[in-house]
Amino acid sequence: MQSKGSSHRLSSMAANRSRIPSLLISMFATFASIYVAGRLWQDAGNRVYLIKELDRITGQGQSAISVDDTLKIIACREQHKKLDVLEMELASAKQEGFVSKGLVETNGTYSKRRPLVVIGILTKFGRQKNRDAIRKAWMGSGAAFKKIEDGKGIIVRFVIGRSANSADGLDKDIDRENRLTNDFLILDDHVEGNPGHPEKAKLFFAHAADKWDAEFYAKVNDDVYVNIDALGATLATHLDKPRLYMGCMKSGEVFSEQNQKWYEPEWWKFGDKKSYFRHASGEMYVISRALARFISINRSILRTYAHDDVSTGSWFIGLDAKYVDEAKFCCSSWSTGAICAGV
């Protein structure tokens, strides 16, 4: 009897043990089903939210766009946020002078209002009479000078360097004159002297491009009179040429004798040693913003020759520049429609 009772108890215990793992498995399966269902519900909710957001943004009502496409659009929105940040950084850089000053804010947007041209009149010490004559004849002074700049978009400055001898008072004379007229671009990194004229022209273009974001830049001698209206009208017809080099084009003789007025020390570099390459005459010529920026960036390595017009022409030989031979820039005489005249 005892053996039969013992056997019955052992069978009951074994049956109970077998039911425990089954119960655990059932509980685990139930929790897993609840978890998976919850995740599916959550994902479905997210997808519905994204589709509703897309419908709200596009205003198209029920959207047939896939969830993958929706996610891509949301990613694009994130990129737009990054672009907004970059625009803010650009605006900050603009205030510090690192980008074009020709971008002017109007009603929350930016519009392009560049000056048409910056004219640099290369002058020297002891030439105040010439400068006064130019101010009286075409450049203006005071309110008239300001009107040309603000109304016509034409900026005009006398360009001069510093004296080799700071004690001779020449720099002070220029500073005093500039305080009265406020119409100089003083090149503190250039020493005045006859051999340095081409270097001064190069520095004018470089500094002017750094200071003003204009459409064009013009170099003029201080014994040349300019028809401002004719210049403005002519330049307005060439705004579609991004690398413009315009003037009275010529190919002058290369003078190899040291006693000659226009002697070129490096005459041997110019092909047949008899004529220069095509270039604009030095009384007055114009280059576009892209070429002025090129000069500014490469100022330290651009070679100068004996004359500024030859030097300037040499910088553009290897560039895809648009040469425009304009008779109106031939300053030998003041004819109808002419832009300049030498005196």
Side-chain angles (χ1 to χ4, degrees), residues 317-335:
I317 288 179
L319 303 183
D320 185 19
K322 176 65 176 178
Y323 282 57
V324 175
D325 184 9
E326 177 55 76
K328 295 177 182 179
F329 283 92
C330 298
C331 305
S332 57
S333 62
W334 189 275
S335 57

Side-chain angles (χ1 to χ4, degrees), residues 300-313:
S300 63
I301 60 174
L302 290 176
R303 183 76 172 84
T304 57
Y305 296 97
H307 314 296
D308 73 270
D309 52 358
V310 173
S311 300
T312 302

Side-chain angles (χ1 to χ4, degrees), residues 49-123:
Y49 169 76
L50 291 174
I51 292 174
K52 287 183 178 179
E53 281 294 294
L54 181 62
D55 292 339
R56 182 181 63 81
I57 294 168
T58 60
Q60 293 178 352
Q62 294 299 320
S63 174
I65 301 176
S66 69
V67 174
D68 288 339
D69 290 335
T70 305
L71 293 173
K72 290 178 183 178
I73 293 174
I74 300 300
C76 288
R77 292 179 62 196
E78 294 299 320
Q79 294 298 323
H80 280 298
K81 291 179 181 179
K82 293 179 181 180
L83 287 175
D84 290 339
V85 173
L86 290 175
E87 286 179 357
M88 293 175 63
E89 293 177 353
L90 180 63
S92 176
K94 173 182 174 293
Q95 293 178 354
E96 297 177 11
F98 292 109
V99 296
S100 168
K101 296 180 179 62
L103 296 175
V104 182
E105 189 172 7
T106 306
N107 297 327
T109 61
Y110 286 93
S111 61
K112 189 195 305 183
R113 290 182 53 193
R114 290 191 178 97
L116 178 61
V117 59
V118 177
I119 302 175
I121 307 171
L122 271 59
T123 188

Side-chain angles (χ1 to χ4, degrees), residues 17-177:
R17 289 194 191 99
S18 64
R19 282 196 293 268
I20 291 172
S22 299
L23 181 62
L24 290 175
I25 292 173
S26 299
M27 292 177 62
F28 177 79
T30 302
F31 287 137
S33 299
I34 294 172
Y35 173 77
V36 171
R39 288 302 303 269
L40 290 174
W41 177 264
Q42 183 179 12
D43 288 345
N46 288 339
R47 294 189 181 199
V48 170
Y49 169 76
L50 291 174
I51 292 174
K52 287 183 178 179
E53 281 294 294
L54 181 62
D55 292 339
R56 182 181 63 81
I57 294 168
T58 60
Q60 293 178 352
Q62 294 299 320
S63 174
I65 301 176
S66 69
V67 174
D68 288 339
D69 290 335
T70 305
L71 293 173
K72 290 178 183 178
I73 293 174
I74 300 300
C76 288
R77 292 179 62 196
E78 294 299 320
Q79 294 298 323
H80 280 298
K81 291 179 181 179
K82 293 179 181 180
L83 287 175
D84 290 339
V85 173
L86 290 175
E87 286 179 357
M88 293 175 63
E89 293 177 353
L90 180 63
S92 176
K94 173 182 174 293
Q95 293 178 354
E96 297 177 11
F98 292 109
V99 296
S100 168
K101 296 180 179 62
L103 296 175
V104 182
E105 189 172 7
T106 306
N107 297 327
T109 61
Y110 286 93
S111 61
K112 189 195 305 183
R113 290 182 53 193
R114 290 191 178 97
L116 178 61
V117 59
V118 177
I119 302 175
I121 307 171
L122 271 59
T123 188
K124 301 177 182 178
F125 296 123
R127 306 269 288 186
Q128 184 173 352
K129 289 184 178 179
N130 287 57
R131 293 191 290 271
D132 287 340
I134 287 175
R135 292 184 182 107
K136 185 176 181 180
W138 62 270
M139 179 178 171
S141 59
F145 172 71
K146 190 67 174 173
K147 185 177 180 181
I148 291 175
E149 187 167 315
D150 295 340
K152 301 179 184 294
I154 298 177
I155 299 171
V156 189
R157 295 291 187 274
F158 290 109
V159 182
I160 196 167
R162 289 301 190 181
S163 173
N165 181 6
S166 59
D168 58 17
L170 295 176
D171 290 341
K172 292 181 179 180
D173 291 341
I174 293 297
D175 291 338
R176 187 181 305 111
E177 184 179 347

Side-chain angles (χ1 to χ4, degrees), residues 152-288:
K152 301 179 184 294
I154 298 177
I155 299 171
V156 189
R157 295 291 187 274
F158 290 109
V159 182
I160 196 167
R162 289 301 190 181
S163 173
N165 181 6
S166 59
D168 58 17
L170 295 176
D171 290 341
K172 292 181 179 180
D173 291 341
I174 293 297
D175 291 338
R176 187 181 305 111
E177 184 179 347
N178 190 37
R179 282 194 294 271
L180 295 173
T181 60
N182 196 30
D183 56 9
F184 277 86
L185 175 60
I186 299 175
L187 306 176
D188 291 318
D189 54 349
H190 175 68
V191 176
E192 282 294 315
N194 288 330
H197 201 65
E199 187 70 18
K200 182 160 69 171
K202 179 173 69 173
L203 290 176
F204 156 65
F205 286 123
H207 284 286
D210 292 344
K211 186 175 178 65
W212 296 284
D213 183 38
E215 298 288 353
F216 302 101
Y217 301 82
K219 176 263 175 182
V220 182
N221 289 340
D222 69 353
D223 56 358
V224 171
Y225 287 70
V226 177
N227 184 333
I228 288 289
D229 292 330
L231 174 64
T234 299
L235 293 180
T237 64
H238 293 283
L239 290 171
D240 60 333
K241 301 177 180 65
R243 293 174 297 278
L244 177 73
Y245 175 38
M246 182 165 59
C248 182
M249 296 293 172
K250 65 176 185 177
S251 297
E253 180 182 356
V254 178
F255 293 95
S256 58
E257 300 296 329
Q258 193 166 0
N259 59 349
Q260 293 173 314
K261 180 180 180 181
W262 306 110
Y263 170 61
E264 174 59 70
E266 297 187 77
W267 53 268
W268 56 274
K269 287 186 177 180
F270 297 95
D272 60 7
K273 308 174 186 178
K274 295 180 181 179
S275 60
Y276 289 111
F277 42 76
R278 200 74 168 162
H279 63 278
S281 181
E283 288 89 355
M284 181 177 185
Y285 53 88
V286 175
I287 64 174
S288 63

